[in-house]
Amino acid sequence: MDTVGWWSLARFAHVAGAALWVGGQLALSLVILPLARHRLAPEARDDFTAAAGRRFGMLTGAVFLPVQLATGWAMAWHRGVTWASLAEPGYGRTLATKLALFVLVMLAAAGHGIAHAKGRPDLARALAVVSLVGSLGVVLLATALPTT
């Protein structure tokens, strides 16, 4: 595979990972969890939603996050991004904003898991919404970046 092919593969992995992450959040929030709330008995619902959340969290930590970090770093390196260039108007500031929002999203997602585990459903739900809205913001910012 030539150099162009490798970078196309890296971009594909990065975009596919983001699509799976955001799509997974949307599917859980808009389809799976509402159905579980309406169709399952309370004890079955609680077990199911906890298991679904743990599975999504494990996939995030084992697959999504490593792929996003590796491909994102590689594409930034390929484009010649430096710490100083993140302060420059245009691409640099957009990427810096995307990265900052990504960190906040990951913190909100981790906080959601912790709040859920500690039996604080209102806080867990608020952090889930923050994570989902922030994820959509990351995708929006990504569309403003030219391909590398």
Side-chain angles (χ1 to χ4, degrees):
M1 185 178 292
D2 65 357
T3 303
V4 174
W6 282 112
W7 292 114
S8 293
L9 182 61
R11 267 193 317 277
F12 173 79
H14 196 77
V15 171
L20 287 170
W21 164 254
V22 177
Q25 288 181 78
L26 288 168
L28 282 169
S29 300
L30 300 175
V31 178
I32 296 166
L33 297 180
L35 279 173
R37 280 188 209 101
H38 290 93
R39 299 235 171 201
L40 298 176
E43 60 280 349
R45 178 187 64 228
D46 293 344
D47 287 345
F48 175 79
T49 57
R54 275 192 305 275
R55 172 79 52 98
F56 194 70
M58 286 174 30
L59 287 171
T60 296
V63 178
F64 167 74
L65 199 52
V67 168
Q68 293 311 105
L69 292 174
T71 57
W73 176 84
M75 290 186 305
W77 172 82
H78 179 67
R79 188 155 184 356
V81 173
T82 63
W83 289 110
S85 69
L86 292 175
E88 295 173 4
Y91 187 92
R93 285 189 193 156
T94 302
L95 180 58
T97 304
K98 177 188 171 212
L99 293 171
L101 187 54
F102 179 76
V103 168
L104 292 175
V105 164
M106 290 294 107
L107 290 172
H112 163 75
I114 292 167
H116 190 274
K118 291 189 175 202
R120 302 197 49 204
D122 292 337
L123 178 59
R125 184 171 289 196
L127 289 169
V129 170
V130 167
S131 179
L132 177 56
V133 171
S135 294
L136 293 171
V138 169
V139 171
L140 178 64
L141 288 165
T143 63
L145 294 171
T147 60
T148 56

